[in-house]
Amino acid sequence: ILYKAERKQWYQRRVRDTTQHQSLASMSLFLTKLNTKRDVDEAIRDTLDKVLVLRFGRENDPVCMQLDEILYKAEREVSKMATIFIVDVDAVPIYIKYFDISLIPATLFFFNQHHMKVDFGTADHTKWIGAFTTKQDFIDLVEVIYRGALRGKLIVNSPIEQGHVPKYELIYRGI
């Protein structure tokens, strides 16, 4: 009897995990993908008076799927301030090298062709590494970047509390 109960619990967990994985994977289907360097260049050049959010990562990476879900859910709420695109790191290796993306997912922000920097309290101000903890963290960050950019700032302070900022260590090669 105990064996049947354990088996049933295992099956329920498996169904729940598979369903959650499928729903997360489908989120990237709803976000616009940029597949070439030219697409990324055009997005940076043509997005005016809005924050351009570029998520660099892979569709099948679990952390990327988690971030895609947050981006998808927040897309409508930030639509007047931001445009969101996802970029596969394998499709545009030149930008991976240019923006020094060594950890994925990496989220970069632009405003009127200018790379916006954010002081997250980490060593790297050029990009967000990892998934946002909550949808509201992402919305708050986009709003702060948007308002700061309208005032002409190229670097803004992060509104995200330090407990929600992923910690990582930068390793510089060849120095």
Side-chain angles (χ1 to χ4, degrees):
I1 296 175
L2 185 60
Y3 175 74
K4 288 181 181 180
E6 287 176 355
R7 189 172 173 191
K8 184 177 179 182
Q9 287 175 346
W10 175 84
Y11 179 75
Q12 288 172 341
R13 269 195 318 268
R14 171 116 177 162
V15 168
R16 183 185 67 230
D17 292 345
T18 304
T19 306
Q20 182 181 8
H21 180 72
Q22 288 171 346
S23 69
L24 288 176
S26 65
M27 292 302 158
S28 66
L29 297 175
F30 299 113
L31 296 168
T32 307
K33 294 181 186 82
L34 302 177
N35 297 315
T36 64
K37 180 188 179 303
R38 177 182 227 161
D39 292 342
V40 176
D41 289 341
E42 288 176 3
I44 293 171
R45 186 184 66 238
D46 297 342
T47 304
L48 301 174
D49 299 327
K50 280 186 168 185
V51 175
L52 172 64
V53 180
L54 295 178
R55 189 277 286 154
F56 287 85
R58 292 186 179 94
E59 281 188 34
N60 57 358
D61 182 70
V63 182
C64 289
M65 289 189 282
Q66 192 176 20
L67 178 56
D68 289 348
E69 179 183 22
I70 290 169
L71 296 177
Y72 172 71
K73 287 180 177 179
E75 187 173 34
R76 177 183 283 170
E77 294 177 42
V78 299
S79 64
K80 293 184 180 180
M81 295 181 287
T83 305
I84 302 170
F85 293 107
I86 60 175
V87 182
D88 188 351
V89 291
D90 299 321
V92 286
I94 191 164
Y95 276 120
I96 303 311
K97 191 172 187 178
Y98 183 75
F99 292 120
D100 192 28
I101 297 173
S102 54
L103 300 171
I104 60 168
T107 308
L108 282 76
F109 303 92
F110 294 85
F111 188 84
N112 291 345
Q113 302 175 11
H114 294 286
H115 186 186
M116 296 299 296
K117 294 165 185 65
V118 183
D119 184 2
F120 298 110
T122 62
D124 190 2
H125 300 319
T126 61
K127 57 191 162 286
W128 173 270
I129 302 294
F132 291 92
T133 306
T134 64
K135 177 180 87 167
Q136 193 59 46
D137 284 345
F138 174 71
I139 293 169
D140 292 345
L141 181 60
V142 167
E143 185 176 353
V144 165
I145 292 171
Y146 180 73
R147 292 177 189 271
L150 288 177
R151 293 187 192 123
K153 295 182 179 183
L154 294 177
I155 186 165
V156 295
N157 290 320
S158 172
I160 301 171
E161 61 184 72
Q162 286 299 309
H164 291 191
V165 177
K167 302 295 181 211
Y168 58 91
E169 190 173 322
L170 292 177
I171 299 172
Y172 295 98
R173 296 182 201 137
I175 295 180

